[in-house]
């Protein structure tokens, strides 16, 4: 059951990152961006901590997801609608 919460949290975190960066790439991309962004953010900003959602610290995860989405947008172009 924890994988389901991880996917839901990843989708929410990825959606927030997409709104901040102006990207609209879909639900699967949001989940991937949230999970990878969580990994990036928690490695870079683990000292921030804060509240958790699905086992991921929210603030570092969102910042990491924004970094991930920005990198993907740089290499694969913006896909805004």
């Amino acid at each position: 059951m924890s994988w389901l919460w991880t996917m839901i949290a990843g989708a929410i975190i990825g959606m927030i990152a997409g709104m901040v960066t102006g990207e609209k790439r879909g639900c699967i991309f949001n989940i991937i961006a949230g999970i990878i962004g969580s990994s990036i953010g928690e490695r870079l900003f683990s000292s921030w901590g804060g509240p958790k959602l699905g086992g991921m610290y929210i603030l570092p995860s969102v910042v990491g997801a924004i970094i991930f989405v920005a990198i993907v947008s740089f290499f694969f172009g913006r896909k805004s609608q």
Side-chain angles (χ1 to χ4, degrees), residues 39-77:
S39 176
I40 293 169
E42 288 183 8
R43 287 179 190 250
L44 293 176
F45 309 109
S46 63
S47 62
W48 287 4
K52 280 188 166 183
L53 177 64
M56 303 176 207
Y57 288 108
I58 295 173
L59 188 58
S61 297
V62 169
V63 172
I66 290 170
I67 292 169
F68 176 75
V69 170
I71 290 171
V72 169
S73 296
F74 178 76
F75 285 109
F76 296 106

Side-chain angles (χ1 to χ4, degrees), residues 10-52:
I12 293 169
I13 290 167
M15 181 183 65
I16 293 169
M19 288 189 312
V20 169
T21 59
E23 288 291 316
K24 296 179 183 176
R25 294 193 182 251
C27 186
I28 301 298
F29 181 78
N30 285 345
I31 293 171
I32 293 169
I35 292 172
I36 293 174
S38 174
S39 176
I40 293 169
E42 288 183 8
R43 287 179 190 250
L44 293 176
F45 309 109
S46 63
S47 62
W48 287 4
K52 280 188 166 183

